[in-house]
Amino acid sequence: MSTRLGTGGSAIDRSRPVHFTFDGRRLAGLTGDTVASALLANGERVVGRSFKYHRPRGIVASGPEEPNALLGIGTGDRFEPNARATTTPLREGMALRSQNRWPSLAFDVGVVNAALSRFLPVGFYYKTFMWPRRFWESVYEPLIRQAAGLGRAPDAETRDPDRYEHFHLHVDVLVAGGGIAGLQSALAAGRAGAQVLLMEQSPHWGGRAQVDGVRIEGDPAAEWVARAVAELEAMPNVRLRLNATVVGAYDHGWMLAVEMPEPGPRERLWKIRARRTVMATGALERPLAFAGNDRPGVMLASAVRDNLMRYAVSPGDRTVLVTANDDGYRTAIALVEAGLSVPLVVDARPECNGPLPRRAREMGIRVAPGRAIAGVRWQRRITGVDVCLQAGEGSALEHVPCDAVAMAGGWSPAVHLWSHCGGRLRWDEATAAFRPDPQFPPTGADGQAAILPAGSADGHSRAVEVLASAHRAGVAGAAAAAHEGDAGQVVTAEEGAEAPALAVWRMPQSADHRLRAQTFLDFQNDVKLTDVELAAQEGYRSVEHAKRYTTLGMATDQGKLSNINGLAALSHTTGQAISAVGTTTFRPPYTPLTLATIAGQARGDLFQPVRRTPLHARHEALGAAWEPVGQWRRPYVYPKAGETVEDAVRREVLAVRSEVGILDATTLGKIIVKGPDAAQFLDMIYTGRPSTIAEGRCRYGLICNENGFLIDDGVVARLGPETWLCHTTTGGAERIHAHMEEWLQTEWWDWRVHVLNVTEQFGQIAVAGPLARNLLERLGGMDLSREALPFMHWTEGRLMDVPVRVFRISFSGELSFEIAAPAGRAGEIWDRLAQDATPYGTETMHVLRAEKGYIMIGDETDGTVIPQDLGLNWAIAKKKDDYIGKRGQMRLHMAGERWRLVGLLTPDGAVLPEGSLAVAQGTNANGQRRTQGRVTSAYWSPTLGRGIALGLVDRGPERMGETLSFLQPDGSEYRAEIVSPVFHDPEGERLNA
Amino acid sequence: MLTLRCPCCGVLADETELAPGGTAHLRREGPEASDEAFEAYMFLRDNPRGVHFERWRHAFGCGKWFHAARCTVTNEVFGTYPAQTAAPPEEVLEAIRRRRPEWER
C-alpha cells in the first residue's frame, strides 16, 4: 500500500488538510499535494483503465510525462476530462473521477479486450474493418466512436464559466525551465542586462537537484536555489513565473506558454516573441521494458523519489528497484533513509561498483548485478517480482515479495522545443540518448540559432556541467540582444560520481514471446514490445510508419516515456542502429492545451467584432431578424407579430412594388478614387470606361481579376473633375479597396491617385417603390423630380436640413433613390421615412433583384464566371486597349460553349432547390452523370405568385424554351423551362418612372 | 509565425499583421501577350529551395505593400524593401550573398 509517512515532505503543509473525492469516496490530502500525491497518500494506486485492453493502471511518473493518471476533474460547468493528476494541484472540494472504465474502476467490462488481445493485434482496425465495406458506416464506425477516447467530453450544453486570457510579450531571452540550469541561465542573462522571462512548469523552483542531493557552491541545492530566486526577483529586467509551461516553439522565436496563474484566470496563454530561448527543460526518465511493467505500483524511480521527498508519500512498504544506472540507487537510498524496505536492487549491469551502489550496499541493501525482472506478480496489487538473468530468456531464479517496483531506465533529454521548429537531433551512444545537434539548430529571422540548449536538456547529467552549459546559454542569449554586462561566475557543484549506465532496451536480453507480449512500451495507447515487432515484420520499418501503424507515441502524452524504448525495439527488430532508425518529429504542444485556453476571451460577444450600421438600434426596435454579412449584421426581414418569415418577405416585396419601402444600404462599399490619374486608373480597374462618366452621372461597373473572372460590381458616380465614388458590394468594400491599393502600389506606383474607403462615413438608405419620389418630396429641401434628377444621376443638397447625396439608382427595378447622409445623421432621415414607408430587409432585396434578373456577386458568380457569361457584355468597353482581366477573357475557353445566365420556370410554379444541377445525357470519365447547368438563385416571387430561378446553363440564351431536368439527391426530379432572366417589367418602365 | 520589418512604417510586424502576396518582381502581361507569356505570368511560379523574393502587405498596419527576401528552408530574412521597384536593391543582394555565397539569381 502506498501511504503518507509521518515526517518529511518539502512541498506539503501538514497543518492544512484538503478534502476531495475520488469516484465519490471522501478522501483527504494536504496543501501542496498534487492530485497524484494525494491519491497515493490515500493508498489509491489504481487510477484508471488503459485505452485498448482496459488493464488497471496506476501513477507512473511525477510530471507532465504521466501516461496513465488522467482523470475527470470537477463537475457540471467546470468538468474537465483527461487532466493529468501529476501536474494538477489538489484543491479543496475537488471531485475526481477515473476514466475509461465501466461500470467501475475495480470491475471493468472492457477488460474482456485483454483476454481477446491475441485477436486484437496491432493494426487491428486496418485489418478488420476493411470489409464488408457497407459495415463501415452502420457497424464499425459507431462502435469505434463509442469505444474511442479516454475521458468523456464535457456536456455540450454547458458553458465554461471560467476566464481564460492571452498575454503578449517581447523578451530578449525566454528561459524554459526553472531547474538549476534555468535559474543559472536566467541569472547570467539577467545580470548581463537582458529582458528575461523565466518559466517553470511546476510550482517549485530548482527542479530535481534538491531531490537528488546535489550541492552547489558548497551548500545543499535548495539553499542555492533560494538565493538564485531572490537575486532574480530583485532584478527589474527579469520576470519569473511558476506553473507556466513553454509548450511550443515556432518561426522567428515565437513561443507559446501556458500558465495556471494563482490567483488569476483559470489559464493564461502566453504568446512570446523571444530573441533567444534557453531550453532548460531537463530530462525525462525512461521506463524499463519488462513483463508486467504496466502494473499499478510500478513507477519511475525518479517519481518514487519525488513523492518521497516532496510529499512524504511512499509507493509501498517494500520496493524493489530495477535499474541499469547508478542514478536509480538514489531512490533505493532515499527509501531506506525514510525507514522503508528495499528488499532488492535488480541491476542489469554485470558490475555495479560505483559510489552510489557501494553506499547502498553499506546501508544493507542487497544488490543483484546482471539480473532482470522476469515478471511482476499481481493479485489486485503487486505481490512480488520474479528475478532472472539479464543475459537469459527469462527463467525465474528467485521470487522476491514486494508491493512496489521502482524502475530506472536512464534519462532522455527533453528536446521537444528544439525539434518543434526544425532543430535536428543526434544519437549519442555514450549517453544512449538523442541530444540537440549543434550543427543544425532551429534558426530565427537572423539565421542564427534561436534556441540554446542548456543542462540536462542538452544531455548533461553532472550538476557541474549542467550549470556551466546553462551559464554559457544565458550569456549567449543576452549577447544576441546586445546585452554584454557582467554575467558573473560559473558556479561550482558537487555530487556523487556515477559509473557508466547501460542502455537496456528489454529485460531480459532474450525475453521469450510470452514475456515480450506482457511488456508495455506505450502505457497510454497499450502498445507492447510484440506490437512493434509485428509491425516491423509486416514491413513498417520506417519509424514514421511504425508509429502510425502501432499508435506508439500517439496518445495525449505524445510518447514522452515510450518514444526511445519504441525506437530501440524497432531498431532491434529491423537490425538497424538507433541512429539509423531516427526519431519521429516532436510537434507542439509539449503538453496538451485546453480548447478554452486557445479561445481565450474570444467567445460570446467577444468572438469577433460585429459591425453595426448607424441604423442598427432602429432595426432592433423593429424586431429585425438578422443576417450576418461578413462582420456586418443586416436586417434579413422585419417580421411583425404573428408573421412567418415567408409572410413578412411577401408583405415587404409587395409594399415595394405597390407603394414604397426603405432599406438600410449602409453596408455597400463606398470608395473615393481621386487624383490627376484617377480616370486612367479606373479605366484599368473597371471593364467599362468610368473616365467618360459625366459629372453628376452614375454608371454600373464591373471589376474583374487578372484571370478575367468577375469579382465585384456596383454603381460608380463621378463627383468632380478628378473624383469618383465607387460603390461595391457589402462584402467587397475592404477587398476591392485592397485590390485598388495593390495595383496602385505595386504596378502603377507613379500614377497620381488616392484611394480612400469611406464606407463607414455614410449612412445610406434606399427608398424604392412607385411612391418613392412622392415620399422624398414631402421631406422637403430638394427637387427630386424626373427632370431635375433623371435615372442614373445623382445630386447634392439638404433633406430635412441634413446634408445628403441622392443617387437615382435602383437594385429593385422600381423607381428608387439612395440617400447618403453623414453616418451620425442618417437616423433622422430614416425615422421620417419609416413613418410612411415599409422597412425591408436583405431577403426582400434579393427577391426584388431576382425578379428583375439582376445578378448578385457570390450567387450568380463563383470565381469562374466572366461578365460575358452573365449577358453583361454591354458593361465592357471592347475597344479599350487594356483593363484588368482583358487578356484573361481573350483565352480560347472564355468564348463558345459556356454556361450562361438564364431564367428558369417550373411548369407548376414550384421553387427549384438552389444549387440543383441540370443533368445531360451520358456520363463523364468518372462515371458520373453529365451536367449542363445549375440553379444559382431561386425564390418564391410574390409579384408573380410563383417560383422563379436564375441559373447558368450551357449555351443557355441560345436555348430559350427548352426544358431541363434537375435531379435531386433523393432521386426526385424538377423540370424547368429556359426563359429570359428578367421576370418583371422587362421594358424598365417602372425603373425609369 | 514570421516577423518582417515594414520598410514603409518601420514596424517589426508579426505575421498576423501581414497579408502574403506571392512571388515578387513579376512583369504584368497585357492583351498583346502570347498565350505562353500570359500563362507564365498568371500561373507558373518558381518554388525555390532557398532564396525567395516575395510580396507582403502590411495589411493591419500602414497598409503598404513591400518585398522580402527570405530563405524558404530556414525562414532567414535577408532584407525587406519597398514594392515600388522592378528588381531587388543591391544591398539586399549583398546581404544574400554574404549569407548564401553559392546563391545565383
Side-chain angles (χ1 to χ4, degrees), chain A residues 961-983:
Chain A
E962 274 187 44
T963 296
L964 298 175
S965 164
F966 293 87
L967 278 187
Q968 303 303 306
D970 64 5
S972 65
E973 184 194 33
Y974 283 79
R975 298 182 76 78
E977 187 188 335
I978 302 177
V979 297
S980 156
V982 185
F983 299 100

PDB file of all heavy atoms in Angstrom, chain A residues 961-983:
ATOM      1  N   GLY A 961     -36.802  28.216 -74.190  1.00  0.00           N
ATOM      2  CA  GLY A 961     -37.954  27.349 -74.419  1.00  0.00           C
ATOM      3  C   GLY A 961     -37.668  25.885 -74.168  1.00  0.00           C
ATOM      4  O   GLY A 961     -38.598  25.088 -73.994  1.00  0.00           O
ATOM      5  N   GLU A 962     -36.393  25.510 -74.140  1.00  0.00           N
ATOM      6  CA  GLU A 962     -36.086  24.104 -73.846  1.00  0.00           C
ATOM      7  C   GLU A 962     -36.398  23.798 -72.380  1.00  0.00           C
ATOM      8  O   GLU A 962     -36.339  24.673 -71.527  1.00  0.00           O
ATOM      9  CB  GLU A 962     -34.589  23.835 -74.084  1.00  0.00           C
ATOM     10  CG  GLU A 962     -34.241  23.489 -75.508  1.00  0.00           C
ATOM     11  CD  GLU A 962     -32.759  23.079 -75.608  1.00  0.00           C
ATOM     12  OE1 GLU A 962     -32.295  22.311 -74.749  1.00  0.00           O
ATOM     13  OE2 GLU A 962     -32.094  23.571 -76.547  1.00  0.00           O
ATOM     14  N   THR A 963     -36.697  22.535 -72.116  1.00  0.00           N
ATOM     15  CA  THR A 963     -36.962  22.121 -70.741  1.00  0.00           C
ATOM     16  C   THR A 963     -35.796  21.281 -70.235  1.00  0.00           C
ATOM     17  O   THR A 963     -35.301  20.397 -70.944  1.00  0.00           O
ATOM     18  CB  THR A 963     -38.259  21.305 -70.659  1.00  0.00           C
ATOM     19  OG1 THR A 963     -39.339  22.159 -71.035  1.00  0.00           O
ATOM     20  CG2 THR A 963     -38.500  20.793 -69.243  1.00  0.00           C
ATOM     21  N   LEU A 964     -35.339  21.617 -69.004  1.00  0.00           N
ATOM     22  CA  LEU A 964     -34.223  20.895 -68.404  1.00  0.00           C
ATOM     23  C   LEU A 964     -34.725  20.056 -67.239  1.00  0.00           C
ATOM     24  O   LEU A 964     -35.742  20.360 -66.616  1.00  0.00           O
ATOM     25  CB  LEU A 964     -33.170  21.883 -67.883  1.00  0.00           C
ATOM     26  CG  LEU A 964     -32.514  22.786 -68.918  1.00  0.00           C
ATOM     27  CD1 LEU A 964     -31.595  23.792 -68.221  1.00  0.00           C
ATOM     28  CD2 LEU A 964     -31.719  21.962 -69.929  1.00  0.00           C
ATOM     29  N   SER A 965     -33.957  19.012 -66.937  1.00  0.00           N
ATOM     30  CA  SER A 965     -34.280  18.146 -65.804  1.00  0.00           C
ATOM     31  C   SER A 965     -33.262  18.380 -64.692  1.00  0.00           C
ATOM     32  O   SER A 965     -32.061  18.302 -64.920  1.00  0.00           O
ATOM     33  CB  SER A 965     -34.239  16.680 -66.260  1.00  0.00           C
ATOM     34  OG  SER A 965     -34.175  15.842 -65.129  1.00  0.00           O
ATOM     35  N   PHE A 966     -33.765  18.700 -63.516  1.00  0.00           N
ATOM     36  CA  PHE A 966     -32.888  18.918 -62.348  1.00  0.00           C
ATOM     37  C   PHE A 966     -33.090  17.770 -61.371  1.00  0.00           C
ATOM     38  O   PHE A 966     -34.110  17.700 -60.691  1.00  0.00           O
ATOM     39  CB  PHE A 966     -33.227  20.253 -61.682  1.00  0.00           C
ATOM     40  CG  PHE A 966     -32.888  21.444 -62.532  1.00  0.00           C
ATOM     41  CD1 PHE A 966     -33.805  21.940 -63.471  1.00  0.00           C
ATOM     42  CD2 PHE A 966     -31.661  22.076 -62.429  1.00  0.00           C
ATOM     43  CE1 PHE A 966     -33.496  23.024 -64.255  1.00  0.00           C
ATOM     44  CE2 PHE A 966     -31.349  23.169 -63.212  1.00  0.00           C
ATOM     45  CZ  PHE A 966     -32.261  23.653 -64.145  1.00  0.00           C
ATOM     46  N   LEU A 967     -32.123  16.835 -61.348  1.00  0.00           N
ATOM     47  CA  LEU A 967     -32.253  15.675 -60.459  1.00  0.00           C
ATOM     48  C   LEU A 967     -31.836  16.066 -59.040  1.00  0.00           C
ATOM     49  O   LEU A 967     -30.875  16.807 -58.844  1.00  0.00           O
ATOM     50  CB  LEU A 967     -31.367  14.529 -60.946  1.00  0.00           C
ATOM     51  CG  LEU A 967     -31.927  13.661 -62.068  1.00  0.00           C
ATOM     52  CD1 LEU A 967     -31.001  12.472 -62.300  1.00  0.00           C
ATOM     53  CD2 LEU A 967     -33.336  13.176 -61.757  1.00  0.00           C
ATOM     54  N   GLN A 968     -32.578  15.549 -58.061  1.00  0.00           N
ATOM     55  CA  GLN A 968     -32.302  15.844 -56.660  1.00  0.00           C
ATOM     56  C   GLN A 968     -31.567  14.665 -56.013  1.00  0.00           C
ATOM     57  O   GLN A 968     -31.674  13.527 -56.481  1.00  0.00           O
ATOM     58  CB  GLN A 968     -33.614  16.124 -55.917  1.00  0.00           C
ATOM     59  CG  GLN A 968     -34.407  17.265 -56.526  1.00  0.00           C
ATOM     60  CD  GLN A 968     -33.590  18.544 -56.587  1.00  0.00           C
ATOM     61  OE1 GLN A 968     -33.059  18.995 -55.590  1.00  0.00           O
ATOM     62  NE2 GLN A 968     -33.462  19.110 -57.784  1.00  0.00           N
ATOM     63  N   PRO A 969     -30.873  14.947 -54.928  1.00  0.00           N
ATOM     64  CA  PRO A 969     -30.148  13.850 -54.256  1.00  0.00           C
ATOM     65  C   PRO A 969     -31.068  12.700 -53.850  1.00  0.00           C
ATOM     66  O   PRO A 969     -30.641  11.554 -53.790  1.00  0.00           O
ATOM     67  CB  PRO A 969     -29.548  14.529 -53.014  1.00  0.00           C
ATOM     68  CG  PRO A 969     -29.480  15.968 -53.366  1.00  0.00           C
ATOM     69  CD  PRO A 969     -30.619  16.242 -54.298  1.00  0.00           C
ATOM     70  N   ASP A 970     -32.348  12.981 -53.565  1.00  0.00           N
ATOM     71  CA  ASP A 970     -33.251  11.904 -53.149  1.00  0.00           C
ATOM     72  C   ASP A 970     -33.850  11.167 -54.343  1.00  0.00           C
ATOM     73  O   ASP A 970     -34.734  10.320 -54.174  1.00  0.00           O
ATOM     74  CB  ASP A 970     -34.359  12.457 -52.245  1.00  0.00           C
ATOM     75  CG  ASP A 970     -35.258  13.453 -52.969  1.00  0.00           C
ATOM     76  OD1 ASP A 970     -35.080  13.636 -54.204  1.00  0.00           O
ATOM     77  OD2 ASP A 970     -36.134  14.047 -52.331  1.00  0.00           O
ATOM     78  N   GLY A 971     -33.404  11.503 -55.564  1.00  0.00           N
ATOM     79  CA  GLY A 971     -33.895  10.787 -56.738  1.00  0.00           C
ATOM     80  C   GLY A 971     -35.067  11.466 -57.419  1.00  0.00           C
ATOM     81  O   GLY A 971     -35.425  11.122 -58.550  1.00  0.00           O
ATOM     82  N   SER A 972     -35.688  12.446 -56.734  1.00  0.00           N
ATOM     83  CA  SER A 972     -36.823  13.129 -57.375  1.00  0.00           C
ATOM     84  C   SER A 972     -36.316  14.074 -58.463  1.00  0.00           C
ATOM     85  O   SER A 972     -35.110  14.335 -58.567  1.00  0.00           O
ATOM     86  CB  SER A 972     -37.625  13.891 -56.323  1.00  0.00           C
ATOM     87  OG  SER A 972     -36.827  14.923 -55.784  1.00  0.00           O
ATOM     88  N   GLU A 973     -37.217  14.593 -59.245  1.00  0.00           N
ATOM     89  CA  GLU A 973     -36.826  15.409 -60.392  1.00  0.00           C
ATOM     90  C   GLU A 973     -37.672  16.669 -60.471  1.00  0.00           C
ATOM     91  O   GLU A 973     -38.882  16.631 -60.201  1.00  0.00           O
ATOM     92  CB  GLU A 973     -37.024  14.589 -61.680  1.00  0.00           C
ATOM     93  CG  GLU A 973     -36.566  15.311 -62.930  1.00  0.00           C
ATOM     94  CD  GLU A 973     -37.071  14.649 -64.207  1.00  0.00           C
ATOM     95  OE1 GLU A 973     -38.192  14.095 -64.167  1.00  0.00           O
ATOM     96  OE2 GLU A 973     -36.360  14.696 -65.212  1.00  0.00           O
ATOM     97  N   TYR A 974     -37.019  17.793 -60.777  1.00  0.00           N
ATOM     98  CA  TYR A 974     -37.735  19.028 -61.115  1.00  0.00           C
ATOM     99  C   TYR A 974     -37.501  19.280 -62.593  1.00  0.00           C
ATOM    100  O   TYR A 974     -36.407  19.036 -63.100  1.00  0.00           O
ATOM    101  CB  TYR A 974     -37.191  20.217 -60.333  1.00  0.00           C
ATOM    102  CG  TYR A 974     -37.625  20.296 -58.890  1.00  0.00           C
ATOM    103  CD1 TYR A 974     -37.008  19.510 -57.928  1.00  0.00           C
ATOM    104  CD2 TYR A 974     -38.641  21.170 -58.498  1.00  0.00           C
ATOM    105  CE1 TYR A 974     -37.401  19.584 -56.602  1.00  0.00           C
ATOM    106  CE2 TYR A 974     -39.029  21.249 -57.165  1.00  0.00           C
ATOM    107  CZ  TYR A 974     -38.407  20.465 -56.218  1.00  0.00           C
ATOM    108  OH  TYR A 974     -38.790  20.541 -54.908  1.00  0.00           O
ATOM    109  N   ARG A 975     -38.516  19.769 -63.266  1.00  0.00           N
ATOM    110  CA  ARG A 975     -38.324  20.181 -64.648  1.00  0.00           C
ATOM    111  C   ARG A 975     -38.533  21.683 -64.720  1.00  0.00           C
ATOM    112  O   ARG A 975     -39.344  22.248 -63.986  1.00  0.00           O
ATOM    113  CB  ARG A 975     -39.311  19.446 -65.569  1.00  0.00           C
ATOM    114  CG  ARG A 975     -39.090  17.934 -65.546  1.00  0.00           C
ATOM    115  CD  ARG A 975     -40.037  17.228 -66.479  1.00  0.00           C
ATOM    116  NE  ARG A 975     -39.660  17.356 -67.885  1.00  0.00           N
ATOM    117  CZ  ARG A 975     -38.690  16.661 -68.470  1.00  0.00           C
ATOM    118  NH1 ARG A 975     -37.975  15.808 -67.761  1.00  0.00           N
ATOM    119  NH2 ARG A 975     -38.429  16.822 -69.747  1.00  0.00           N
ATOM    120  N   ALA A 976     -37.750  22.338 -65.581  1.00  0.00           N
ATOM    121  CA  ALA A 976     -37.902  23.787 -65.694  1.00  0.00           C
ATOM    122  C   ALA A 976     -37.585  24.228 -67.120  1.00  0.00           C
ATOM    123  O   ALA A 976     -36.703  23.655 -67.764  1.00  0.00           O
ATOM    124  CB  ALA A 976     -36.990  24.500 -64.701  1.00  0.00           C
ATOM    125  N   GLU A 977     -38.295  25.256 -67.542  1.00  0.00           N
ATOM    126  CA  GLU A 977     -38.114  25.785 -68.892  1.00  0.00           C
ATOM    127  C   GLU A 977     -37.121  26.945 -68.867  1.00  0.00           C
ATOM    128  O   GLU A 977     -37.103  27.743 -67.923  1.00  0.00           O
ATOM    129  CB  GLU A 977     -39.469  26.275 -69.421  1.00  0.00           C
ATOM    130  CG  GLU A 977     -39.432  26.693 -70.877  1.00  0.00           C
ATOM    131  CD  GLU A 977     -40.747  27.350 -71.304  1.00  0.00           C
ATOM    132  OE1 GLU A 977     -41.784  27.051 -70.662  1.00  0.00           O
ATOM    133  OE2 GLU A 977     -40.715  28.154 -72.240  1.00  0.00           O
ATOM    134  N   ILE A 978     -36.284  27.001 -69.898  1.00  0.00           N
ATOM    135  CA  ILE A 978     -35.328  28.110 -70.005  1.00  0.00           C
ATOM    136  C   ILE A 978     -36.068  29.335 -70.530  1.00  0.00           C
ATOM    137  O   ILE A 978     -36.724  29.270 -71.584  1.00  0.00           O
ATOM    138  CB  ILE A 978     -34.173  27.749 -70.967  1.00  0.00           C
ATOM    139  CG1 ILE A 978     -33.454  26.485 -70.478  1.00  0.00           C
ATOM    140  CG2 ILE A 978     -33.206  28.914 -71.097  1.00  0.00           C
ATOM    141  CD1 ILE A 978     -32.343  26.014 -71.399  1.00  0.00           C
ATOM    142  N   VAL A 979     -35.988  30.433 -69.765  1.00  0.00           N
ATOM    143  CA  VAL A 979     -36.670  31.677 -70.151  1.00  0.00           C
ATOM    144  C   VAL A 979     -35.706  32.844 -69.949  1.00  0.00           C
ATOM    145  O   VAL A 979     -34.573  32.673 -69.483  1.00  0.00           O
ATOM    146  CB  VAL A 979     -37.934  31.892 -69.290  1.00  0.00           C
ATOM    147  CG1 VAL A 979     -38.953  30.778 -69.510  1.00  0.00           C
ATOM    148  CG2 VAL A 979     -37.561  32.002 -67.817  1.00  0.00           C
ATOM    149  N   SER A 980     -36.167  34.034 -70.289  1.00  0.00           N
ATOM    150  CA  SER A 980     -35.365  35.235 -70.037  1.00  0.00           C
ATOM    151  C   SER A 980     -35.175  35.414 -68.535  1.00  0.00           C
ATOM    152  O   SER A 980     -36.078  35.123 -67.748  1.00  0.00           O
ATOM    153  CB  SER A 980     -36.092  36.456 -70.608  1.00  0.00           C
ATOM    154  OG  SER A 980     -35.650  37.618 -69.933  1.00  0.00           O
ATOM    155  N   PRO A 981     -34.017  35.911 -68.103  1.00  0.00           N
ATOM    156  CA  PRO A 981     -33.816  36.113 -66.663  1.00  0.00           C
ATOM    157  C   PRO A 981     -34.596  37.306 -66.111  1.00  0.00           C
ATOM    158  O   PRO A 981     -34.643  37.481 -64.897  1.00  0.00           O
ATOM    159  CB  PRO A 981     -32.304  36.330 -66.548  1.00  0.00           C
ATOM    160  CG  PRO A 981     -31.863  36.777 -67.894  1.00  0.00           C
ATOM    161  CD  PRO A 981     -32.803  36.193 -68.894  1.00  0.00           C
ATOM    162  N   VAL A 982     -35.185  38.127 -66.964  1.00  0.00           N
ATOM    163  CA  VAL A 982     -35.932  39.285 -66.447  1.00  0.00           C
ATOM    164  C   VAL A 982     -37.409  38.892 -66.364  1.00  0.00           C
ATOM    165  O   VAL A 982     -38.080  38.733 -67.369  1.00  0.00           O
ATOM    166  CB  VAL A 982     -35.759  40.519 -67.358  1.00  0.00           C
ATOM    167  CG1 VAL A 982     -36.434  41.734 -66.732  1.00  0.00           C
ATOM    168  CG2 VAL A 982     -34.276  40.783 -67.591  1.00  0.00           C
ATOM    169  N   PHE A 983     -37.897  38.728 -65.128  1.00  0.00           N
ATOM    170  CA  PHE A 983     -39.266  38.251 -64.936  1.00  0.00           C
ATOM    171  C   PHE A 983     -40.260  39.391 -64.793  1.00  0.00           C
ATOM    172  O   PHE A 983     -41.442  39.228 -64.956  1.00  0.00           O
ATOM    173  CB  PHE A 983     -39.339  37.365 -63.680  1.00  0.00           C
ATOM    174  CG  PHE A 983     -38.466  36.144 -63.757  1.00  0.00           C
ATOM    175  CD1 PHE A 983     -37.232  36.109 -63.129  1.00  0.00           C
ATOM    176  CD2 PHE A 983     -38.881  35.035 -64.494  1.00  0.00           C
ATOM    177  CE1 PHE A 983     -36.429  34.983 -63.200  1.00  0.00           C
ATOM    178  CE2 PHE A 983     -38.069  33.905 -64.572  1.00  0.00           C
ATOM    179  CZ  PHE A 983     -36.848  33.881 -63.927  1.00  0.00           C
TER     180      PHE A 983
END
